[in-house]
Amino acid sequence: MMRVASCRCGSLRANCSGEPIRLSVCHCRACQQRTGSAFSAQVRFPVDAVTVEGNWLEFVRIADSGREVTYRFCPSCGSTVSYMIDEWPDLIAVPVGLFDEADFPEPAYSIFEKNRQSWVSITGAETQHHP
């Protein structure tokens, strides 16, 4: 199966083959700032299952966890199309909202819930919740 994620202007795409390793949501402040929403939702694929096409810029930051995160984003519209965390170099994350398909499973993890907005409830039967 091939899934395609694209930025808002369509000039940067992530072609993802196969099934994702996991879907997770994150409530950390950095994800809230990146998405402009109360949390982020992303799927992770093996890095060799994703081909990013188009021109991108990279932004690298140190997360609250101390890990280095490298974001690839569209220089035209600013959408983050993928990111990698140095601790997991074999995985690449792609924001769920960039895919046309809406057929992903419920999230496996909900992390940084200490920053979760009080009105947000992640209710997957199998979802693991982490402060």
Side-chain angles (χ1 to χ4, degrees):
M1 168 178 250
M2 179 65 71
R3 291 184 174 97
V4 179
S6 61
C7 67
R8 288 178 292 210
C9 71
S11 63
L12 184 58
R13 299 164 40 116
N15 301 307
C16 307
S17 62
E19 292 299 318
I21 301 297
R22 77 176 201 190
L23 187 146
S24 58
V25 295
C26 181
H27 305 274
C28 79
R29 287 293 302 139
C31 282
Q32 291 176 9
Q33 290 172 324
R34 178 177 57 81
T35 64
S37 185
F39 59 91
S40 67
Q42 52 280 325
V43 286
R44 295 183 200 272
F45 288 90
V47 72
D48 60 357
V50 178
T51 303
V52 180
E53 296 178 348
N55 295 318
W56 67 80
L57 295 176
E58 288 187 349
F59 172 66
V60 179
R61 74 174 196 86
I62 303 301
D64 292 344
S65 63
R67 299 176 183 125
E68 185 176 277
V69 184
T70 302
Y71 301 91
R72 290 180 179 169
F73 63 95
C74 176
S76 297
C77 69
S79 299
T80 299
V81 171
S82 68
Y83 64 90
M84 294 180 68
I85 301 172
D86 66 347
E87 186 175 23
W88 301 296
D90 297 333
L91 297 177
I92 188 167
V94 180
V96 169
L98 300 182
F99 291 92
D100 288 335
E101 303 87 10
D103 63 342
F104 290 107
E106 66 187 33
Y109 299 93
S110 178
I111 62 172
F112 283 96
E113 287 195 335
K114 66 183 179 191
N115 296 40
R116 181 180 55 79
Q117 297 291 321
S118 62
W119 47 267
V120 170
S121 178
I122 306 298
T123 60
E126 300 296 320
T127 304
Q128 295 181 28
H129 299 269
H130 301 275

